[in-house]
Amino acid sequence: MSKSCIITGGSGLVGSNFKDGIKINSSHCDLMNYDESYNKIKSFNPDSIIHCAAMVGGLYYNIQHPLKFFEKNIQMNSNILKISHELGVKKFIGFLSTCIFPDNLGRPYQETDLHIGPPHDSNFGYAYAKRMLEVKIRAYRKEFGYKYFCVIPTNVYGYNDNFNIDNGHVVPALIHKIYNAKNNNEDLVIKGTGKAKREFIFARDLANICNYLLNHYDGDDSIIVSDSDNEIAIKELVDILVEVSNFKGNVIYDTSYSDGQLVKKTDNSKLKNILENFEFTPLEKGLKKTYEWFENNYEEVRK
């Protein structure tokens, strides 16, 4: 990676897992503020940007705040792309998510499916904002010939995640709930039936893949980044976390809550053609490392 590559969201789940590059976060500049962000980024004279920063949250927080997710991500993405253009940044990777694909497609998602139907209603604000990031990147690429493209990762987990139970994604929220239930000798209550299926990727794997793509991918189409051979149901995920955490209490599923989108299966054949021999971190190993990291850093990351 070039030493003049800027990584936004540098203290977050994905950004913090890059080994090199200039990592910036909200303490350096507010990406919602164009002038402040322009001056900070210009001071580094970057030749590339990996844009990890976003407003993100779990299922129920998305349901409650669609407007906030839409407006903040739209503005943040517009600012960083305009800054990249004004500064002549040569290469740019924007982060999307598999949760923004059309609902009920009936087959594994492919990169070309992104805009062929509406997303699941549970996260439509976030989904449409992220889709517009892809549209805007495509427009910059077509008009100015930049090497800008998007990656579409599946559910990411790992160190430095948002472990807030109310607005975190499924893995960090579950880890925090299990930790609390274990230490308070309480039942573990899971929202939903546990039947929804998801694919997961360890954040460090995603950072390594993006680093490779930045240096070796000369295409301009989006790339799904997933370990699609390891799709599991939420109930299976809970079982693994219960085991790695050594939780001995009762697990109760509260079926009065929505499961959200039931299936988000992806086709990662394009990624496999680019990185033929990449070995993903096995899910159980990655979850064990993440749970242990949370335990060791509990006082700093609990929210």
Side-chain angles (χ1 to χ4, degrees), residues 217-263:
Y217 180 62
D218 290 324
D220 51 22
D221 294 328
S222 299
I223 302 174
I224 289 173
V225 181
S226 73
D227 184 10
S228 60
D229 295 333
N230 288 308
E231 181 189 41
I232 66 167
I234 297 300
K235 187 178 185 306
E236 295 176 81
L237 174 68
V238 171
D239 290 344
I240 295 173
L241 285 170
V242 163
E243 182 176 346
V244 300
S245 65
N246 198 33
F247 175 70
K248 302 298 185 182
N250 297 319
V251 180
I252 300 169
Y253 288 86
D254 185 347
T255 58
S256 66
Y257 285 89
S258 169
D259 287 318
Q261 197 170 352
L262 288 177
V263 179

Side-chain angles (χ1 to χ4, degrees), residues 96-101 109 152-155 224 226 261 264 266:
L96 307 182
S97 169
T98 53
C99 74
I100 73 176
F101 276 108
Y109 297 129
I152 314 175
T154 188
N155 292 270
I224 289 173
S226 73
Q261 197 170 352
K264 296 182 182 179
T266 62

Side-chain angles (χ1 to χ4, degrees), residues 47-252:
D47 57 19
S48 56
I49 291 178
I50 300 177
H51 179 42
C52 303
M55 178 182 176
V56 298
L59 170 63
Y60 301 105
Y61 200 64
N62 267 277
I63 292 173
Q64 294 165 356
H65 302 286
L67 182 60
K68 183 185 293 187
F69 277 95
F70 182 80
E71 289 187 332
K72 287 199 171 185
N73 283 299
I74 283 284
Q75 185 172 346
M76 192 184 307
N77 295 338
S78 293
N79 283 348
I80 193 67
L81 277 170
K82 185 178 179 182
I83 291 168
S84 299
H85 169 61
E86 293 293 332
L87 296 180
V89 170
K90 302 301 182 184
K91 205 156 189 180
F92 183 102
I93 299 179
F95 271 65
L96 307 182
S97 169
T98 53
C99 74
I100 73 176
F101 276 108
D103 188 27
N104 294 324
L105 194 59
R107 57 174 171 76
Y109 297 129
Q110 298 176 328
E111 288 84 358
T112 53
D113 295 328
L114 193 60
H115 299 286
I116 64 173
H120 193 273
D121 190 60
S122 63
N123 70 332
F124 74 93
Y126 174 81
Y128 279 119
K130 282 294 188 178
R131 287 188 185 188
M132 290 305 100
L133 173 60
E134 189 278 332
V135 170
K136 200 158 190 176
I137 282 177
R138 192 167 7 124
Y140 272 109
R141 192 169 64 230
K142 183 174 182 180
E143 190 162 341
F144 299 103
Y146 293 137
K147 292 292 186 180
Y148 293 3
F149 66 94
C150 294
V151 292
I152 314 175
T154 188
N155 292 270
V156 188
Y157 72 95
Y159 318 137
N160 294 309
D161 206 341
N162 171 18
F163 290 89
N164 187 291
I165 290 174
D166 294 323
N167 61 33
H169 283 128
V170 58
V171 168
L174 281 174
I175 284 175
H176 198 161
K177 290 186 77 169
I178 291 172
Y179 179 91
N180 288 348
K182 178 181 175 182
N183 285 276
N184 297 327
N185 195 28
E186 297 172 344
D187 293 337
L188 174 63
V189 180
I190 307 297
K191 294 178 178 179
T193 67
K195 294 179 180 178
K197 292 185 176 182
R198 297 291 184 267
E199 298 166 358
F200 297 93
I201 184 171
F202 196 41
R204 188 150 294 174
D205 291 350
L206 178 56
N208 290 337
I209 288 170
C210 287
N211 185 41
Y212 181 89
L213 293 174
L214 183 71
N215 294 307
H216 298 95
Y217 180 62
D218 290 324
D220 51 22
D221 294 328
S222 299
I223 302 174
I224 289 173
V225 181
S226 73
D227 184 10
S228 60
D229 295 333
N230 288 308
E231 181 189 41
I232 66 167
I234 297 300
K235 187 178 185 306
E236 295 176 81
L237 174 68
V238 171
D239 290 344
I240 295 173
L241 285 170
V242 163
E243 182 176 346
V244 300
S245 65
N246 198 33
F247 175 70
K248 302 298 185 182
N250 297 319
V251 180
I252 300 169

